[in-house]
Amino acid sequence: MDRISLLHDELLLTILSFLPTTKDVVATMVLSKRWQPLWMMVPRLVYDYSYENADYGRFSRFVDRSLLLHKAPVLETLYFKVTRTSGVGDIPLWTRAAEKHSVRELFIEIHSSCIAFPAILPRSLYTGCRMLVTLKLNNVVLVDAASEPVSFPSLKYLKLNSLKYPGDEFVKRFLSSCIVLEHLDVDQCPGDNVTVFTVRVPSLESLYVRKSSDTDLDNAEGFVIDAPSLKYLGITDSTGGFCVIESEMPNIVKADVDTGYYSLSKILGR
Ligand SMILES: *[C@@H]1O[C@H](CO)[C@@H](O)[C@H](O)[C@H]1NC(C)=O
């Protein structure tokens, strides 16, 4: 037996966690019988289509099968990166694996210029991920969940990059439901269906919002911030909108405000 095979499973799983993608992890199956069942317990699953050299159909089948066979009761990380339009249809199904495996970190990244086939996340995401600590979304569509309460009881880090939302009210409710959220990073894109982006999160310590516009300026758009525990605030807004700060922020350490607001009076503090 080689020396690596003498190591404990736990150590081998840690080693496997360092491999770039799940494809590489599964490839270790061929090493020996000892390795065959190991990949199914690796706590980190990374599926990156841009890293693959295969056609999309093969990639998609690989993701389906390995998610189905995976046995780790808790996944530290689940990461999907899809760079093809044909991939967005798979995202709702794959996202459900996050619920099944009590994921702590979930990343969904879509790189596709085709808006005609958006990646729509399932509603069950809002209630099914009670262990989720970190959520990063890029270029996906959130759907309304009026009938179900949104609940992320463990979520501390949230990144929302170029999302489409079901409206102002949803954003306000979604963020308010993150009762232990500490870090929020938002990149708003034009046409995201949000006029006033409201952040009312008492636990929030850092907030970065960026917004750019390539169309005409709309003064009716802006941010409302009510985050009394905030230490770090960054606002980059070139749209000429407004920002209303509703609460005092006695703990603030650093604030970077780079905006096209015509005058400082557009940042209305109390
Ligand atoms: C945009 O937001 C409004 C509410 O502000 C909502 O009624 C509408 O369905 C949203 N559109 C989409 C495409 O989600």
Side-chain angles (χ1 to χ4, degrees):
M1 240 185 174
D2 63 290
R3 275 160 71 184
I4 283 195
S5 294
L6 293 173
L7 299 173
H8 284 295
D9 279 7
E10 252 168 68
L11 193 53
L12 289 179
L13 289 175
T14 306
I15 294 170
L16 288 176
S17 292
F18 284 109
L19 293 177
T21 75
T22 300
K23 190 92 185 273
D24 306 306
V25 174
V26 172
T28 63
M29 269 173 70
V30 303
L31 293 180
S32 75
K33 266 220 158 64
R34 167 90 162 81
W35 288 85
Q36 260 177 31
L38 268 185
W39 73 268
M40 288 184 259
M41 294 302 287
V42 172
R44 181 171 171 270
L45 292 178
V46 177
Y47 299 104
D48 181 352
Y49 180 65
S50 62
Y51 179 84
E52 304 283 324
N53 216 349
D55 70 275
Y56 184 77
R58 278 185 70 166
F59 171 72
S60 165
R61 282 194 298 278
F62 171 72
V63 179
D64 283 346
R65 263 184 299 164
S66 55
L67 281 176
L68 197 68
L69 291 171
H70 209 74
K71 291 205 185 99
V74 175
L75 271 181
E76 286 304 322
T77 304
L78 183 58
Y79 181 114
F80 300 110
K81 182 170 171 191
V82 171
T83 47
R84 274 272 295 270
T85 304
S86 50
V88 301
D90 287 325
I91 288 294
L93 189 68
W94 293 347
T95 304
R96 286 174 193 270
E99 299 155 28
K100 192 176 127 202
H101 291 284
S102 301
V103 168
R104 292 180 201 271
E105 270 190 338
L106 176 63
F107 304 105
I108 301 175
E109 224 180 292
I110 310 289
H111 292 265
S112 165
S113 50
C114 189
I115 317 158
F117 302 98
I120 300 169
L121 297 187
R123 276 190 183 83
S124 55
L125 176 73
Y126 303 145
T127 49
C129 297
R130 306 193 63 81
M131 309 266 285
L132 201 64
V133 176
T134 301
L135 177 62
K136 293 187 188 178
L137 301 174
N138 181 67
N139 215 356
V140 295
V141 178
L142 296 180
V143 290
D144 206 357
S147 54
E148 292 148 281
V150 177
S151 174
F152 290 109
S154 314
L155 196 67
K156 293 200 167 162
Y157 189 102
L158 177 62
K159 184 162 179 160
L160 305 170
N161 195 348
S162 302
L163 265 58
K164 297 236 179 340
Y165 303 91
D168 292 17
E169 212 29 59
F170 174 86
V171 169
K172 194 197 293 187
R173 204 156 46 83
F174 181 95
L175 295 177
S176 300
S177 314
C178 302
I179 49 172
V180 296
L181 190 68
E182 292 174 5
H183 309 283
L184 174 62
D185 196 306
V186 180
D187 243 309
Q188 263 193 285
C189 62
D192 65 357
N193 200 30
V194 177
T195 311
V196 179
F197 201 102
T198 305
V199 180
R200 246 186 249 289
V201 185
S203 56
L204 203 64
E205 293 181 9
S206 75
L207 172 64
Y208 293 92
V209 288
R210 278 171 299 280
K211 185 173 185 171
S212 59
S213 165
D214 43 12
T215 53
D216 51 341
L217 303 180
D218 185 351
N219 285 313
E221 295 197 358
F223 299 100
V224 171
I225 298 170
D226 178 4
S229 309
L230 217 58
K231 293 179 185 158
Y232 302 94
L233 172 64
I235 305 176
T236 307
D237 181 355
S238 58
T239 68
F242 65 85
C243 178
V244 177
I245 296 190
E246 289 200 335
S247 54
E248 292 198 9
M249 301 190 285
N251 304 327
I252 204 94
V253 176
K254 188 161 184 250
D256 278 318
V257 180
D258 177 5
T259 66
Y261 305 155
Y262 304 126
S263 67
L264 271 182
S265 68
K266 287 204 143 191
I267 301 181
L268 307 170
R270 283 209 300 189

